[in-house]
């Protein structure tokens, strides 16, 4: 986007999102490196600058653990449970959510005003939304643990083990027995629509 396009969007109330500021800001880079050494997991960061009185993003939840550090200005945050909706995997979702409407939100868990130097943590699956108060707001979101779960680990480990077994033993590559679908119990029932 050109400078003029960004300026017009800002005047219209858009939040500016700076992806991966650790790539060009040495203090953020050093912080990410220290966190990665301490936790043994990858960390990422994004910066958000929101005009006065505006909501940065629609209410949503992420698939990561989130730490928000308020750098400049103030932001009023509301944290909610997700809607009681079949599309919301809660707690501990494997993917980020869609944007929610205010009337869909679940129970209010916390409401707070972050000021420069304040740090807010919330676990993945926590719906959050914030409005800049009294002037513009600048905060740094630091996140971690994306895809670091037993499900993710086993999904990769078992697939790797199965591929290795198939590469080393022709038995794993042989055809299934005749009438296989009739002897597979619940798997057969699920496939036939009777279960």
């Amino acid at each position: 986007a050109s400078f003029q396009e960004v300026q017009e969007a800002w005047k219209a109330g858009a939040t500016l999102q700076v992806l991966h500021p650790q790539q060009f800001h040495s203090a953020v880079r050093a912080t990410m490196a220290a966190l990665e050494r301490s936790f043994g997991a990858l960390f990422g960061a994004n910066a958000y600058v929101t005009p006065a009185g505006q909501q940065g993003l629609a209410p949503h939840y992420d698939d990561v653990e989130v730490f928000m550090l308020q750098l400049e200005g103030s932001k009023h945050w509301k944290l909610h449970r997700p809607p009681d909706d079949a599309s919301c995997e809660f707690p501990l979702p494997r993917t980020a959510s869609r944007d929610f409407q205010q009337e869909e939100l679940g129970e209010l868990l916390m409401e707070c005003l972050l000021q420069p130097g304040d740090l807010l943590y919330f676990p993945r699956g926590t719906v959050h939304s914030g409005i800049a108060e009294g002037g513009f707001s600048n905060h740094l979101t630091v996140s971690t643990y994306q895809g670091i779960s037993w499900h993710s680990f086993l999904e990769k480990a078992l697939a790797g083990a199965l591929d290795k077994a198939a590469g080393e033993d022709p038995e794993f590559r042989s055809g299934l027995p005749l009438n296989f679908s009739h002897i597979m119990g619940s798997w057969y029932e699920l496939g036939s629509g009777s279960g």
Side-chain angles (χ1 to χ4, degrees):
S2 70
F3 176 76
Q4 184 177 351
E5 290 171 324
V6 170
Q7 194 171 35
E8 288 172 9
W10 176 264
K11 287 178 183 176
T15 289
L16 304 179
Q17 180 182 21
V18 180
L19 300 175
H20 314 296
Q22 64 270 28
Q23 293 178 348
F24 51 85
H25 193 279
S26 60
V28 177
R29 183 173 39 255
T31 301
M32 297 297 102
L35 289 168
E36 288 177 356
R37 280 192 305 274
S38 295
F39 285 86
L42 291 176
F43 274 75
N46 292 319
Y48 299 88
V49 183
T50 303
Q54 298 298 313
Q55 179 171 299
L57 300 171
H60 68 283
Y61 63 72
D62 297 306
D63 59 345
V64 289
E65 305 293 317
V66 175
F67 299 85
M68 288 188 182
L69 176 62
Q70 190 69 31
L71 301 173
E72 298 176 275
S74 300
K75 202 162 206 180
H76 181 214
W77 287 97
K78 290 184 179 182
L79 308 180
H80 291 264
R81 289 180 60 91
D84 191 16
D85 178 328
S87 70
C88 297
E89 191 173 46
F90 185 79
L92 305 176
R94 291 176 283 172
T95 59
S97 74
R98 62 180 172 81
D99 290 345
F100 299 117
Q101 299 297 317
Q102 290 293 332
E103 59 272 8
E104 293 181 276
L105 299 179
E107 171 192 359
L108 179 65
L109 301 172
M110 181 179 182
E111 191 169 357
C112 62
L113 180 67
L114 291 188
Q115 297 180 356
D118 289 344
L119 181 69
L120 174 65
Y121 162 78
F122 50 88
R124 63 184 157 125
T126 303
V127 176
H128 54 284
S129 61
I131 297 177
E133 285 198 359
F136 79 93
S137 166
N138 179 10
H139 79 270
L140 182 70
T141 295
V142 175
S143 60
T144 189
Y145 257 55
Q146 185 172 38
I148 300 180
S149 66
W150 283 109
H151 169 265
S152 299
F153 169 74
L154 291 172
E155 186 175 51
K156 290 175 180 63
L158 293 176
L162 190 56
D163 283 345
K164 182 174 176 152
E168 294 176 1
D169 187 344
E171 189 69 30
F172 284 96
R173 300 187 304 269
S174 65
L176 295 172
L178 293 175
N179 294 317
F180 167 77
S181 63
H182 296 289
I183 60 172
M184 287 310 296
S186 62
W187 188 56
Y188 170 72
E189 291 169 9
L190 288 173
S192 67
S194 64

